[in-house]
Amino acid sequence: MLAPTVLARAAGKLLFPPICLGCQTQVAVPGSLCGTCWSNLRLIDKPYCPVMGTPFREDKGDIFLSAEAIASPPPFARLRSAAIHTGLARRMVGDLKYRDRTDLAPWMARWMLRAGSELLDQADLIVAVPLHRRRFFQRRYNQSAELARSLSALTGLPFEPDLIHRTRPTRQQVGLHAKQRQDNVRGAFRVHPKAKTKLKGKRVLLIDDVYTTGATVSAVTRTLLRNGASAVDILTFSRVLPDQLDLEEDEG
């Protein structure tokens, strides 16, 4: 005789069959992709730049840096992303960000866990890129915080949602070139005075949904370092590669 839990699971699968995260067709396992969507997801694997996480065509060794890391060293220590921001990854970011698909966050976080395992192992706490309260009330949630919360649940690392705030509403980054993006977010973030003790000497993992030019996460990183963090690493679900920057995706 089947146990009640087995029967309940079977009934639930019959009533609510698992669907593909990408196209919502029926699949065998919850949180998985159909064959077509899987072929449209470009995960980032080694070899890649040890600083920027930019994938290399061939293994160049652990100390070989990408051109972007050499030409413009970032304020953060390391960047890792689960997927290249194209195809399915780009669509999932848009669905999470603009179409209320917060159900995607726990599954996206699992891919981020795979990509950022070394960062998570060394982190003391997790922080998400904050939204200004005006945009938060419009959207009703912060997509980066949803990813950070899921990563916290997967790893046990503390997530500090109120540690840093966006102090003024910034323009959307779509359509702005790199210098305009930097100017747009300069001075836009502040660590809550009561939270500074949580930052002192800590290695912070900063979470965002997509990395484009890095203007937003760099501004947040500088604020965290000024307020006592020992180092900041960045983990995103997807990233735009240097030769893709004409996509002009929004950050934050």
Side-chain angles (χ1 to χ4, degrees):
M1 184 176 179
L2 292 175
T5 52
V6 175
L7 289 172
R9 192 178 301 118
K13 191 172 182 180
L14 182 63
L15 292 171
F16 306 101
I19 58 175
C20 171
L21 295 176
C23 65
Q24 300 187 0
T25 58
Q26 189 171 339
V27 292
V29 180
S32 62
L33 299 172
C34 69
T36 301
C37 286
W38 180 256
S39 67
N40 286 323
L41 181 66
R42 295 177 59 190
L43 296 176
I44 297 175
D45 290 301
K46 289 184 175 182
Y48 48 62
C49 171
V51 174
M52 299 301 297
T54 308
F56 292 142
R57 294 185 182 275
E58 58 186 34
D59 194 347
K60 301 176 183 291
D62 293 337
I63 62 172
F64 190 91
L65 299 182
S66 61
E68 57 184 330
I70 296 171
S72 183
F76 49 82
R78 295 169 294 181
L79 163 69
R80 298 291 182 268
S81 303
I84 296 173
H85 193 67
T86 186
L88 178 64
R90 187 179 185 187
R91 190 165 76 243
M92 291 180 74
V93 167
D95 286 346
L96 171 64
K97 194 170 190 172
Y98 301 118
R99 290 179 279 279
D100 295 335
R101 290 293 308 279
T102 55
D103 60 293
L104 292 174
W107 306 108
M108 293 166 72
R110 291 177 185 274
W111 281 312
M112 294 170 69
L113 177 64
R114 170 185 176 274
S117 58
E118 59 182 325
L119 277 56
L120 287 155
D121 287 344
Q122 297 172 23
D124 295 307
L125 55 91
I126 297 174
V127 170
V129 170
L131 291 178
H132 186 264
R133 60 182 179 274
R134 183 183 302 170
R135 188 172 297 179
F136 181 85
F137 288 140
Q138 291 172 345
R139 196 175 293 170
R140 303 186 306 280
Y141 62 92
N142 177 355
Q143 74 282 352
S144 299
E146 294 298 315
L147 294 170
R149 190 172 292 107
S150 295
L151 281 165
S152 176
L154 288 169
T155 63
L157 282 170
F159 169 44
E160 301 291 346
D162 300 318
L163 190 147
I164 190 164
H165 299 272
R166 194 180 294 239
T167 58
R168 58 180 174 81
T170 53
R171 294 173 56 191
Q172 290 199 355
Q173 303 275 56
V174 174
L176 303 182
H177 59 63
K179 178 63 164 57
Q180 289 174 320
R181 288 173 183 245
Q182 294 169 9
D183 293 342
N184 187 39
V185 295
R186 183 175 291 113
F189 302 99
R190 180 177 68 91
V191 170
H192 194 287
K194 293 183 179 179
K196 290 184 179 182
T197 55
K198 296 181 181 180
L199 265 184
K200 188 175 178 58
K202 298 296 177 61
R203 190 174 194 106
V204 178
L205 183 60
L206 177 62
I207 304 299
D208 205 1
D209 53 350
V210 56
Y211 180 95
T212 308
T213 65
T216 301
V217 294
S218 292
V220 177
T221 294
R222 293 186 183 96
T223 301
L224 293 170
L225 293 173
R226 283 197 304 269
N227 284 274
S230 63
V232 179
D233 292 313
I234 311 297
L235 179 58
T236 70
F237 175 70
S238 65
R239 68 156 298 177
V240 177
L241 297 181
D243 58 0
Q244 293 179 300
L245 286 176
D246 59 338
L247 291 176
E248 296 292 348
E249 286 296 326
D250 182 25
E251 294 177 289

